[in-house]
Structure formats: C-alpha cells, structure tokens
Amino acid sequence: MATRAEQKLKTRRALMDAALSQLSADRGFGSLSLREVAREAGIAPTSFYRHFAELDELGLALVDEGGVALRQLMRQARKRIARDGGSAISTSVETFMEYLGNNANLFRLMLRERTGVSKPFRTAVKAEIDHFVTELADDLRRIADEQNRPLSEARLVAESMVTLVFNQGAEALDATPAEREELKAKLKTELRMILVGSQTLAKRQ
C-alpha cells in the first residue's frame, strides 16, 4: 500500500495533470477554475487545499516543471553532442521540438504567462528563461574557447537565441508535421546566422 506521503504526491501530480489537460490553443490557465481541476483529478474541491494554497500556486509549480524539464533535455543534448559529435545547433533544435511534442501545454502556459497579467507568473517565467539563457551562454563560451572561435557578447547571443526559439516554438505548437519541418530548418539557419554574426563581430574587435 502507498504511504500517506506517496499518496499525497500522487494526488498533487493528478491535480497538475488535470490542469494541464484543460489547457489548449483556445484556453489559458486564467480561465480554469479550482472546482473543475479538482473534479478532473478525482478529488473534492476542499481537498485541493491540502496540496496547493490556491490555483495560481499550482500554475507556478507547472511553470517551474516546464522550465526544469526543458533545461534537463538540453543538458542531455549537450552530452550527446560532446559524446557523438555533430551539429550543436541541429541537435539542440531537434531536442527542443521533441520537448514541444511531449509538453505542448506546458509550453503554452509558459508562453502565455510570460506576458500575462499576473506578475508572479511573469516573474516565474522570466526566472526560468534567465536560467536557460545563463546555461546557454556558459555553453557558448566553452565551445568558443574549445574551437578558438571567440564570440562577441555571448550573453546577448544566448538571449537572442532563446527569444528566437520561443517565438518559433509558438508557431510550431499548432503546425502540421510538414510545417514543423520547415520551421526547424528555418530556425537552424537563423540560429547559425546569430552565431556567425557574433563570431564576425569578435574578429573585428
């Protein structure tokens, strides 16, 4: 039998999954109600408060989960690149699109709340993006040193890349398979343009 702690974690997960399942291209987190999330999770509305103080706290937990999942996937991609070689940009784009395919509603939540009306949500999404930018900037600096191809403003390069990836990710969410392949090719080219531009600026400096 599951312990009380295990059951509590299971119910918490059920609530998060229930909220995610209600999201779509036409429906954002702000339109959800505590009652419908609890019903979808199979618990009484009053039991919700044993797991989250309010619905927004559940949403913030989802934002955190989305950011952590993406960073973990990208770390795995970097390990594959280091082990097997190949194009860092191509592998990273393929990994990101894989994340989109498996976490569409999580990404929708982050996209919407990034510019939403809730300051706690905006702050949480910004923090996740900042973590991602910092890791990418560190990685870009390391690769530049290893290849002896200096970059100009690695942090700005990382910020530009992440902004581009998020914008293209928004388009890819509801794209057909053929459209998504076109978006991937376009994104890889755009990311290479940013990288080459930074390398060229570094040479001039």
Side-chain angles (χ1 to χ4, degrees), residues 85-130:
S87 166
I89 285 178
S90 181
T91 301
S92 297
V93 169
E94 294 292 340
T95 301
F96 175 71
M97 290 299 180
E98 175 188 328
Y99 168 85
L100 276 189
N102 295 326
N103 301 276
N105 282 345
L106 266 179
F107 191 70
R108 286 187 206 280
L109 175 67
M110 294 179 70
L111 276 177
R112 284 191 174 124
E113 300 306 331
R114 182 185 182 189
T115 55
V117 297
S118 168
K119 185 175 180 180
F121 272 101
R122 292 198 308 272
T123 300
V125 174
K126 183 180 184 303
E128 293 302 327
I129 291 174
D130 285 346

Side-chain angles (χ1 to χ4, degrees), residues 25 96-97 99-100 104 107-112 114-115 162-176 179-180 183 187:
F96 175 71
M97 290 299 180
Y99 168 85
L100 276 189
F107 191 70
R108 286 187 206 280
L109 175 67
M110 294 179 70
L111 276 177
R112 284 191 174 124
R114 182 185 182 189
T115 55
V162 170
T163 298
L164 183 60
V165 165
F166 264 67
N167 289 343
Q168 294 287 22
E171 287 191 44
L173 276 174
D174 300 307
T176 65
E179 290 170 338
R180 187 168 288 196
L183 283 170
L187 181 55

